[in-house]
Amino acid sequence: MFQKGQDIIWKSSLWVVLVLLIGCSTSKPYQLTDVSPKYKEYQGTDLDPHKTKEVLVPVTNNRKYDEFIQEAHKAIALLEFGENVALRADSKKTVGEPAAQEMQAAAYLEEDLPPIITKLPGLVQTNQDLIDSTPNDFDGPAIGRVTYALGNILDSLKQYSPKAIGIQNAIRNIRSDSNNYSQGKDIADAEIKPVVEDPIIIDDKKDKPKKPEKIITKKEDIGSKISIKRLNRKTKVTGKAKVDEQINELVKKEEEEVLSDEEKKDREYTEQIRSGLVQVFQWEYYRRPRNLEKILATHPIPRVRSAAALALGRLKAGRVSLQTAIDRDGYQVRPAAYKALSDLGDKRSLSYFIAGTKAEDPEVIAVSYEGLGKTKDPAGREMILTTGLASEYVVIVSGSLRGLAYHRLDADVEVFDKFLKSNEPEIKEAALEALAIHGSRESLRILERVVAEEPNLALLAVDEISKNPSLSATFALIRLNEAQTDEKLGKRIGESLLRRKAFGKYAIILIEDDYLRSEPNERSRPVSYIKNKEIGLVLSETKKEFAVRIGEDILTDKYIQVKMESTLPGARDAFVTGWVFYPKLDIIEVKQLGSDGKSGKYSNLKKGKHNNLFNPIEEIKVLKKD
C-alpha cells in the first residue's frame, strides 16, 4: 500500500511538470520559405541563412507573443538572407563569376526589405515591452523560456538594425550594377572561339587517300548548346555597302537564337540603363533641364531617374519636378531628389526640408538639414542647433554643420570650432567645410590655425580656404604662404592662387601697431587699426615722396594705398581703403607668366626673391624628355 501511494504521488508530480512544460515547450523549425514561398529555390543553398543552423520558433499559445515572434523571425531571416546575397555577389564580382542567382534574389529583396527596415525600430520597442510583461502573462518555467526566446530575438534585432540600411543599399547596388547583367553573356562569349579551317585541297595527280573531315564539336554552356556556323559564302557584297554592319547583324541574330528569354530580358534592361544614363549626361552637358525633368518623370528605370534628379541639382534647376518626385516616386529616387533639392536650397522647398528631417534614411535627413540651412530660415536654424547637431549619426551631424554655415552668423563660429575637436574624421572635415562656407574673418583665421597646428588636416584646410572666392580667402592664402616652409603645402597654395587668378601686388604689414590713414599723411585721420602680418591689396602709390620719422630715423619714401580687412568692431563694410608709408610694408607680387595661363610667379619686390607657382622651365624639361 505504501509503495502504491508513492507511485501515485510521483505520477501526479510528473503530470504537473508536464502541464507546466506544455505551457511553452512546443516549438517548430523556421525555414526560408516561411518568409515567403518565392524563396523556395534558395532554401538549402549557400544563400540560405538556415543552411548551417537550425532555428526553432517557440509557440507560447499566446496570440500577442506568437504573432510578434513570427514577425521578428521573418525580419531577421530576411536581413540575414539579404546580407548573404550581398556578400556572395560581391565575392563573385571580385573573381569575375556570374551572379545570376544573386541578381534574382536581389530583385525579390528590393520589394521585401524596405517595409521590414521601416518596422525595425518598432519591433525592438515591442520586443522590450513583451519582455517586461512576460511575468504577468506566463507562470512557472514558461516565464524563463519565453524571456529567453525574446532575449535572443532582441539581440538579433539590435545586431541588424545598424546594418539594415547598408544591406538595403548593397542589394540596390547589385541590381543597379550593369556588370551583373552582362557578365554571364561576356563569359559565354569568352569561351566561344570561332573555328576557321583551311580548305582541303585534293591532288588528282597522286592517288592519295582523302583526308577525313574535321568534326567541330559543339560546346555546351550551362545546359544550352551553342551552334557555330560559317557565314554563307554566296552572299557577295558589292558597291558601298558596309560589310561590318551585315556581319554584326548576322552575329546578333545568332546570339538571339542562343539566349534564353531571361537573358534577353536582362540584356534589354541593361541596355535601357545605359542609354538612359547617356541621355542624362548628354542633357546635363548641354544644360537642358527640361529634358532631364522629362526623364525624371517618365523613365521606367529608377536608377536613371535618380541620375536625372542629381543632374538637375547640379544645374540648379527643376525644383517643382524634384518636389513631385519626392511626393510620388519610390525610395530609390527620393534620396536623389532630396539631395538635388538641397543643392538648390530654395526657400520655397522649406516644407520639404522640414519633412525630410523626419525621414528614416540618415542620408535624406542629412541633406535636408543642409538644405534647411541654405534657406536661411530662423526656424530652420533652431532645428539644426537643437536636433541636427544632437544626432547620433555622423552623416547627419556633418550635414547640419554645413547647413548652419549658410546662415553666416558670427555666433556660429564657436560651434564649428567646437566640432573641430571631434574624434570623428568625417565631422572634422565637415567643420572645416562649414568654416569655409561661413567665410568670415574669424572662420578663416581658424582654418589658418588648423594648417599651422594639425599637419594631417593642413592640405584639406588649404583646399577649403581655396573654395571661398572672397578677397579675405586670398589674404589668408598669402599669409599662410609667408608663414609655412613645407614644400608640398607651398605648392598647393601656389596652385590655389593661380587657379583663382589672384594676380596683383599685396602688402604685408611689418610693424606691430599703427593705423591705416585716410590720406598719405601721418597726421591724417586713422580709418582702421593695423598690426604685424596683416595683408592688404595694393591699389596705387603716390607720385611724390614724403619724409617720415620712424623711431630715431627720418626716412624718405612713397605712400602705398591698400585695401584691407576692417578691424573696427561693428564696421559697415568688411574692407577699408587707406594709406600706409612704404617702409612699414613688404610688397609681394603674384604675376602671371606666359600666354597659357597655367604658370605664375610669386615674388618679393623688396628682397627680390621669388618662386614659380607652376615652374614652366621644369615642365618644359619634362616634356622634352618624354
Side-chain angles (χ1 to χ4, degrees):
M1 290 291 292
F2 179 79
Q3 183 65 33
K4 189 179 291 185
Q6 282 186 331
D7 292 341
I8 293 172
I9 293 171
W10 276 108
K11 289 179 181 179
S12 302
S13 303
L14 183 60
W15 277 109
V16 171
V17 172
L18 288 172
V19 169
L20 292 174
L21 290 174
I22 288 172
C24 183
S25 63
T26 58
S27 60
K28 59 180 181 179
Y30 195 85
Q31 299 177 340
L32 191 58
T33 51
D34 292 332
V35 177
S36 174
K38 62 187 177 185
Y39 295 113
K40 183 177 180 180
E41 63 181 289
Y42 308 106
Q43 187 165 296
T45 66
D46 292 335
L47 298 177
D48 187 0
H50 303 149
K51 180 182 178 181
T52 57
K53 65 176 180 179
E54 186 179 8
V55 178
L56 297 177
V57 179
V59 179
T60 66
N61 296 322
N62 186 313
R63 183 178 178 182
K64 178 175 65 174
Y65 286 79
D66 288 337
E67 287 180 353
F68 168 77
I69 289 172
Q70 285 291 333
E71 188 175 10
H73 273 286
K74 177 180 177 181
I76 294 167
L78 201 62
L79 288 168
E80 289 178 339
F81 180 59
E83 187 176 34
N84 287 353
V85 169
L87 293 174
R88 187 67 177 251
D90 187 63
S91 64
K92 284 188 175 182
K93 181 180 178 182
T94 304
V95 298
E97 293 181 6
Q101 189 180 34
E102 289 75 16
M103 278 281 294
Q104 184 61 42
Y108 295 145
L109 288 167
E110 271 194 311
E111 298 176 0
D112 296 343
L113 272 178
I116 292 295
I117 293 174
T118 304
K119 292 178 182 178
L120 276 179
L123 289 175
V124 173
Q125 184 60 45
T126 304
N127 196 335
Q128 190 61 54
D129 295 339
L130 291 178
I131 291 175
D132 296 337
S133 62
T134 301
N136 300 327
D137 298 327
F138 296 93
D139 297 317
I143 297 175
R145 289 183 175 85
V146 174
T147 305
Y148 178 77
L150 292 175
N152 289 338
I153 293 173
L154 183 61
D155 292 340
S156 297
L157 290 174
K158 287 184 176 179
Q159 177 186 352
Y160 279 96
S161 290
K163 300 192 292 185
I165 297 297
I167 293 172
Q168 181 182 357
N169 291 336
I171 294 299
R172 192 183 304 167
N173 292 337
I174 294 174
R175 293 290 298 170
S176 62
D177 190 353
S178 60
N179 292 330
N180 293 333
Y181 290 90
S182 60
Q183 191 176 26
K185 176 66 181 63
D186 293 340
I187 292 173
D189 290 343
E191 293 179 354
I192 303 170
K193 295 182 179 178
V195 180
V196 180
E197 297 181 35
D198 294 332
I200 301 172
I201 302 174
I202 302 174
D203 192 354
D204 295 333
K205 296 179 180 180
K206 297 181 180 179
D207 297 332
K208 292 184 179 179
K210 294 183 179 180
K211 295 182 180 179
E213 294 182 358
K214 294 183 180 179
I215 300 174
I216 303 173
T217 57
K218 298 179 181 179
K219 296 190 177 182
E220 297 185 358
D221 183 24
I222 316 175
S224 62
K225 296 183 178 180
I226 300 175
S227 61
I228 303 174
K229 300 179 181 179
R230 294 181 181 274
L231 295 178
N232 191 354
R233 304 193 71 172
K234 293 180 181 180
T235 306
K236 295 184 178 180
V237 180
T238 59
K240 296 182 179 179
K242 296 182 179 178
V243 180
D244 290 343
E245 291 182 1
Q246 292 189 1
I247 294 174
N248 291 337
E249 192 67 30
L250 290 171
V251 173
K252 186 177 180 181
K253 186 180 290 186
E254 291 289 336
E255 289 178 348
E256 288 178 353
E257 292 176 2
V258 173
L259 293 176
S260 64
D261 292 340
E262 188 65 30
E263 289 173 330
K264 289 178 182 177
K265 289 180 181 178
D266 287 344
R267 190 174 184 178
E268 290 174 2
Y269 188 83
T270 303
E271 188 58 36
Q272 271 189 304
I273 291 178
R274 288 175 178 170
S275 62
L277 292 177
V278 167
Q279 284 183 344
V280 169
F281 300 146
Q282 177 184 0
W283 298 132
E284 182 182 1
Y285 177 79
Y286 290 112
R287 305 189 69 84
R288 302 284 180 83
R290 291 295 178 87
N291 297 24
L292 291 170
E293 289 180 53
K294 184 178 179 181
I295 293 174
L296 175 60
T298 62
H299 202 280
I301 299 178
R303 183 183 176 186
V304 178
R305 298 199 300 273
S306 300
L310 294 172
L312 284 170
R314 291 189 288 268
L315 293 179
K316 302 290 188 294
R319 177 184 60 85
V320 175
S321 297
L322 292 169
Q323 291 175 176
T324 303
I326 290 172
D327 291 334
R328 299 179 182 177
D329 217 319
Y331 65 89
Q332 188 172 358
V333 179
R334 291 181 77 248
Y338 261 113
K339 174 66 174 70
L341 208 61
S342 175
D343 291 339
L344 269 66
D346 197 302
K347 288 185 178 180
R348 292 169 289 184
S349 302
L350 181 63
S351 60
Y352 285 85
F353 294 137
I354 293 174
T357 60
K358 300 173 184 177
E360 295 175 357
D361 190 342
E363 293 181 1
V364 171
I365 299 173
V367 297
S368 296
Y369 276 117
E370 187 171 347
L372 203 59
K374 290 182 179 180
T375 65
K376 299 182 181 179
D377 185 82
R381 179 175 179 271
E382 189 65 25
M383 289 180 64
I384 291 173
L385 289 171
T386 55
T387 58
L389 294 178
S391 174
E392 60 182 357
Y393 290 98
V394 171
V395 65
I396 295 177
V397 175
S398 301
S400 301
L401 285 170
R402 288 188 288 268
L404 185 63
Y406 285 103
H407 287 272
R408 291 185 172 88
L409 297 179
D410 294 339
D412 296 335
V413 176
E414 294 182 5
V415 178
F416 306 140
D417 196 12
K418 172 187 172 185
F419 278 95
L420 271 177
K421 299 178 178 64
S422 171
N423 295 325
E424 292 288 343
E426 189 175 340
I427 292 180
K428 276 191 171 185
E429 292 176 11
L432 292 175
E433 291 179 45
L435 287 166
I437 294 169
H438 193 273
S440 67
R441 174 190 173 95
E442 291 76 16
S443 60
L444 290 172
R445 288 304 174 91
I446 292 175
L447 288 172
E448 290 182 54
R449 187 195 73 200
V450 171
V451 175
E453 297 179 359
E454 301 190 45
N456 57 325
L457 294 175
L459 289 175
L460 181 61
V462 168
D463 290 341
E464 293 303 329
I465 294 173
S466 303
K467 291 177 184 178
N468 190 310
S470 68
L471 183 59
S472 295
T474 302
F475 290 167
L477 291 171
I478 293 175
R479 198 159 36 238
L480 283 171
N481 193 63
E482 289 296 307
Q484 61 80 36
T485 56
D486 184 80
E487 183 179 350
K488 188 176 181 180
L489 196 59
K491 182 180 179 182
R492 185 68 65 89
I493 293 171
E495 291 173 357
S496 300
L497 291 171
L498 190 59
R499 191 162 44 245
R500 66 198 293 126
K501 297 182 180 179
F503 306 121
K505 295 179 181 179
Y506 297 89
I508 303 174
I509 306 298
L510 298 178
I511 53 178
E512 285 296 334
D513 298 306
D514 209 327
Y515 293 96
L516 196 65
R517 304 286 177 174
S518 59
E519 297 177 3
N521 190 322
E522 291 297 302
R523 297 185 302 279
S524 65
R525 177 177 59 85
V527 294
S528 181
Y529 175 76
I530 57 175
K531 60 181 181 179
N532 188 29
K533 295 183 181 179
E534 287 294 319
I535 306 293
L537 176 65
V538 175
L539 301 178
S540 65
E541 63 180 30
T542 57
K543 294 182 179 180
K544 58 183 180 180
E545 296 182 343
F546 295 84
V548 176
R549 182 187 292 275
I550 299 180
E552 298 180 356
D553 300 325
I554 297 177
L555 303 177
T556 301
D557 215 320
K558 296 180 179 181
Y559 274 90
I560 306 296
Q561 187 184 34
V562 295
K563 182 178 182 180
M564 303 184 70
E565 292 176 302
S566 177
T567 58
L568 296 177
R572 179 181 299 178
D573 298 322
F575 297 94
V576 63
T577 302
W579 297 86
V580 183
F581 194 46
Y582 193 3
K584 299 178 181 180
L585 304 174
D586 205 358
I587 303 296
I588 299 296
E589 183 178 26
V590 179
K591 185 178 180 181
Q592 184 176 357
L593 296 177
S595 58
D596 57 356
K598 296 181 180 179
S599 59
K601 184 172 70 174
Y602 184 99
S603 58
N604 188 310
L605 297 185
K606 278 189 175 180
K607 299 176 183 178
K609 296 180 180 179
H610 76 274
N611 65 289
N612 290 330
L613 304 183
F614 288 93
N615 194 330
I617 298 175
E618 291 183 1
E619 289 184 353
I620 290 170
K621 287 180 180 178
V622 172
L623 290 173
K624 285 182 177 179
K625 286 181 181 179
D626 294 340

